[in-house]
Amino acid sequence: MPSVHQPVVVRIDGGRPENGQVDAWIVPVFEEDAFVDLPGLDEATGGELSAARTRAEFKGKAFEVLACPLRAWGARYLIAVGAGARAAWTGAQARRVATVGALAARSRRLPRVGVLCRPCPSDQVASVVESLVEGVYLANYDGAARKSEGPAQSWVSELVMQTADTAAARQAVAVGSVVGEFTNQARELVNEPGNILTPRELAERATALAGAASLPIEVLDDDAIGRLGMGLLQGVARGSKEPPRVIVLRHEPAGVTAGPVLAFIGKGITFDSGGISIKPAENMDKMKGDMAGGAAVIGAMCAIARLNLPVRVLGIVPATENLPGGNAMKPGDVLTSAAGKTVEVLNTDAEGRLVLGDGLWYARRLGATHLVDVATLTGACMIALGKTTTGLFAAPESWGATVLAASERAGERTWSMPVFEDYRELFRSDIADFSNTGGRYGGAITAALFIKEFAGDLPWAHLDIAGPAWAEEAKPYQPKGATGAAVRTLVELARAAGEWAGR
Ligand code: BES
Ligand code: MN
Ligand code: ZN
């Protein structure tokens, strides 16, 4: 299979853009722009840029694209990208604008691109540079790699960031490159078909990625899972011929022996048919992406290792298929979790919370002090918040606020949801400690509460990414399919460990 994404060689150029040596200049253009800060650019297009604005063909509205040949400025093309209002120039906007510009360069087969970093308040420069680099990486991804004809577009091979060459800019380029690369790795895993990306294959891919990032990894097989007594994971796995795996990643930087042990637990259902409580046929194919939480954890762990962040982090991905085979768990079955709690399975399609229950138990056993699980967990969360917003559930509230702040810095829209303790009665069982479903109403909350049963008294947060993990509709900055949701939020949380660790 041809590769689905490519790394980019990034360099910083603090010199004059007129002396550029690229194929295309990508220039964010604001709505209120008069180009005063870009002397000579309009002239280099022979007046095309200002003419297009006068004709109202290009207004600087977000994600508009105007491509015109350049007669100067050391490039063949100008790709002007509408950047919206200057006041709304955030990292999240910069990332999308860079993706749009780089996609336009790729479709014109212009592999060497330069991005002009437009003026912004100085405290934001680093975050904008980081986002622009990430955005170009995200554009360097192709979902159609399994078509037999070759790619219609070129890759971006080289990126020149036109900005002052400071230590902060260099750091921003390094972070943006790493986070961009591993967001793409997560997208690749999520887009992979279920017949190819089985739990064993997911573990193989994680092993290869972790190896390249010098991140220690251990993969638990059937026997190990059985010896640990992970009856919830085993219960889900029983319906498939493919054996389950638990992927365990450990970032333990040299010299860091005190402070928190952050643990990320990602749902790794490589295909969710619903099991005996089988799903309708429509859209069942999308359930190959039910390991997006696991992919986000694998991607974030590799990025954290590559960035050498000075905090201990564990990544745990319980991986299995959820199929209705002859040995499958049935509605009414009772499973015993590794934590000892018993669960009556009333709906085999509520499998994510089951595997996460054993995953959280294992994180605690390995010494975690702070828990974050990530999962494409419920349709109910999409009903509540829409397709592009992550639901955040946490206890205590202060830990939720820390995770929310990380998501904001990451530019990933996330909304705090309540964790009403009295809703526990909704998943009461007559015969076991509890059941695995709480009914239709408040389904995202009862699912979160189920997982919380396994968090002990540790600070715990749960990110329900059922909506944002997968783009149903193409946007100018996001093709259909996997998005890499939550990778950036998890990395940001680890980057900020110095701030929350003491609390
Ligand atoms: N993987 C699904 C949730 C999901 C649905 C993610 C659509 C992305 C898109 C999960 O395992 C599931 O089936 N949840 C059920 C729970 C119900 C049976 C209590 C749901 O949300 O319907
Ligand atoms: Mn399910
Ligand atoms: Zn699922």
Side-chain angles (χ1 to χ4, degrees):
M1 184 189 75
S3 55
V4 294
H5 52 92
Q6 291 277 305
V8 182
V9 176
V10 190
R11 64 190 166 84
I12 297 174
D13 189 344
R16 297 165 59 81
E18 299 90 308
N19 304 330
Q21 281 188 324
V22 291
D23 296 316
W25 273 120
I26 296 171
V27 179
V29 176
F30 300 106
E31 283 168 15
E32 54 275 77
D33 221 328
F35 313 121
V36 278
D37 55 332
L38 299 171
L41 180 61
D42 188 36
E43 290 82 343
T45 68
E48 273 301 316
L49 187 52
S50 51
R53 283 190 76 109
T54 311
R55 291 195 302 266
E57 180 189 326
F58 178 80
K59 299 181 194 156
K61 291 235 178 309
F63 318 131
E64 285 175 346
V65 173
L66 175 77
C68 45
L70 278 177
R71 300 167 183 183
W73 274 49
R76 287 163 48 209
Y77 261 91
L78 165 70
I79 297 174
V81 184
R86 192 185 280 270
W89 186 233
T90 58
Q93 185 81 338
R95 180 184 308 114
R96 291 173 169 181
V97 164
T99 302
V100 170
L103 284 170
R106 289 189 57 205
S107 67
R108 288 170 182 81
R109 296 191 165 272
L110 303 167
R112 297 176 310 154
V113 303
V115 174
L116 233 59
C117 301
R118 307 305 308 282
C120 54
S122 61
D123 64 329
Q124 287 180 25
V125 174
S127 106
V128 167
V129 169
E130 190 182 307
S131 299
L132 289 169
V133 174
E134 264 172 37
V136 172
Y137 260 88
L138 297 183
N140 230 16
Y141 184 96
D142 264 328
R146 291 184 188 278
K147 287 189 188 283
S148 48
E149 81 234 16
Q153 309 180 320
S154 63
W155 295 108
V156 174
S157 60
E158 195 183 316
L159 166 62
V160 176
M161 292 300 295
Q162 194 73 26
T163 190
D165 189 359
T166 60
R170 281 196 293 269
Q171 167 77 5
V173 165
V175 174
S177 302
V178 168
V179 174
E181 174 179 344
F182 286 105
T183 305
N184 281 345
Q185 297 286 9
R187 292 166 81 188
E188 177 175 355
L189 292 173
V190 175
N191 278 335
E192 229 29 335
N195 63 328
I196 292 168
L197 198 86
T198 59
R200 284 183 295 171
E201 179 66 12
L202 179 60
E204 291 288 326
R205 304 273 183 111
T207 303
L209 289 169
S214 305
L215 172 68
I217 179 169
E218 190 188 345
V219 177
L220 310 184
D221 64 7
D222 284 16
D223 288 347
I225 290 165
R227 277 196 303 275
L228 288 165
M230 294 185 169
L232 302 184
L233 173 58
Q234 285 187 305
V236 177
R238 259 180 17 210
S240 171
K241 285 194 170 154
E242 284 292 333
R245 291 288 183 263
V246 177
I247 300 162
V248 184
L249 301 155
R250 295 167 186 256
H251 173 64
E252 287 163 340
V256 182
T257 51
V261 179
L262 186 55
F264 300 147
I265 305 97
K267 173 176 172 180
I269 302 294
T270 60
F271 187 77
D272 180 12
S273 72
I276 297 294
S277 315
I278 198 160
K279 289 179 181 295
E282 199 186 345
N283 278 327
M284 198 203 273
D285 57 304
K286 304 289 174 348
M287 286 298 114
K288 70 178 183 178
D290 209 20
M291 31 56 72
V297 167
I298 293 165
M301 289 300 297
C302 290
I304 287 165
R306 280 270 293 275
L307 294 170
N308 231 324
L309 298 184
V311 56
R312 290 177 291 176
V313 192
L314 295 168
I316 295 171
V317 181
T320 175
E321 295 185 325
N322 184 25
L323 291 183
N327 201 35
M329 64 176 178
K330 305 168 291 296
D333 284 2
V334 173
L335 305 175
T336 301
S337 65
K341 299 193 188 190
T342 55
V343 180
E344 184 185 13
V345 177
L346 290 183
N347 189 321
T348 65
D349 198 9
E351 85 296 342
R353 64 199 77 183
L354 295 175
V355 307
L356 287 169
D358 280 342
L360 262 69
W361 169 81
Y362 197 55
R364 283 165 54 208
R365 186 179 140 123
L366 294 182
T369 62
H370 293 71
L371 305 173
V372 182
D373 76 76
V374 192
T376 46
L377 201 68
T378 65
C381 197
M382 289 193 272
I383 302 292
L385 294 176
K387 272 288 295 157
T388 54
T389 303
T390 295
L392 167 65
F393 305 76
E397 263 176 44
S398 58
W399 181 234
T402 299
V403 176
L404 188 65
S407 76
E408 274 162 14
R409 285 194 305 279
E412 295 198 281
R413 191 158 62 199
T414 301
W415 200 255
S416 264
M417 299 283 281
V419 189
F420 299 131
E421 285 290 332
D422 57 315
Y423 281 22
R424 289 179 70 210
E425 73 185 38
L426 295 171
F427 55 97
R428 222 171 25 204
S429 163
D430 293 334
I431 61 168
D433 292 339
F434 34 83
S435 82
N436 73 332
T437 57
R440 249 163 73 74
Y441 300 118
I445 301 173
T446 49
L449 274 168
F450 181 100
I451 298 172
K452 184 171 176 287
E453 295 287 337
F454 297 88
D457 47 15
L458 293 183
W460 155 84
H462 156 62
L463 296 169
D464 193 331
I465 58 168
W470 189 268
E472 223 82 62
E473 304 287 334
K475 294 264 169 59
Y477 49 83
Q478 166 69 55
K480 279 187 194 180
T483 62
V487 171
R488 294 194 303 270
T489 295
L490 297 181
V491 173
E492 275 303 323
L493 189 62
R495 283 177 86 189
E499 279 149 50
W500 54 259
R503 278 185 268 130

